[in-house]
Amino acid sequence: MALPLLPALVPAAVWCASTEPGHPASPARRRVLAGLTLLGATVTAPLAVAVATHPVRATEHGHRLTYGISVPHPAVLLAGYLLATVGSLLASGDPTLRRLGLLTGAGAAVCATSWRLSFLSTWCALAALVSVLLLRWAGRPPTPLRSRDVHS
């Protein structure tokens, strides 16, 4: 389920967080996040159709599983997926979300180098680990607004 949902939900969540009091973002940053949200929705559509209409294949590779579905232009969809998810985190004005983006981007690079071994299994393991950082971010109290933040 994460395959078709994350490219739409991650940038939308970062975009929403950028408009929350205590997490102000510049209009330019909000426009970038809106564009990444649109890209994520565009990537979500063919992935959701593929997951809903095609069987998911699981192939055993030693102690790991590799999952696959039939999608058109998989390299383009993968690039859009990573740009929407990792890019929105990196574009965030929040330092913790940017760190999450750096960690996730670095993890994607490591997973890509082990693609033949089982990219999706390693990607899922990485997602579980970095979700701890996201949990820490979501549980913190909002930063109080200073008067200069409101007027900038």
Side-chain angles (χ1 to χ4, degrees):
M1 291 308 299
L3 184 65
L5 294 178
L6 288 181
L9 295 180
V10 170
V14 174
W15 184 30
C16 288
S18 74
T19 62
E20 286 293 313
H23 300 96
S26 69
R29 187 179 305 271
R30 284 195 299 268
R31 281 190 299 276
V32 168
L33 291 170
L36 290 170
T37 301
L38 180 61
L39 172 64
T42 303
V43 169
T44 288
L47 292 177
V49 168
V51 168
T53 61
H54 294 89
V56 176
R57 294 178 316 276
T59 308
E60 181 184 350
H61 291 278
H63 298 288
R64 297 170 302 280
L65 294 176
T66 300
Y67 303 95
I69 57 172
S70 298
V71 293
H73 313 291
V76 172
L77 288 175
L78 178 62
Y81 181 102
L82 290 173
L83 184 58
T85 56
V86 177
S88 63
L89 293 168
L90 292 173
S92 169
D94 185 273
T96 302
L97 290 180
R98 283 196 308 264
R99 280 193 296 276
L100 178 63
L102 287 171
L103 183 59
T104 306
V110 168
C111 290
T113 61
S114 63
W115 182 275
R116 292 208 185 274
L117 295 177
S118 60
F119 175 80
L120 291 175
S121 293
T122 54
W123 180 250
C124 292
L126 172 73
L129 290 174
V130 299
S131 65
V132 174
L133 181 60
L134 186 57
L135 178 64
R136 181 175 161 246
W137 176 85
R140 74 172 187 212
T143 307
L145 284 176
R146 297 181 305 237
S147 61
R148 70 177 177 98
D149 290 336
V150 174
H151 301 293
S152 40

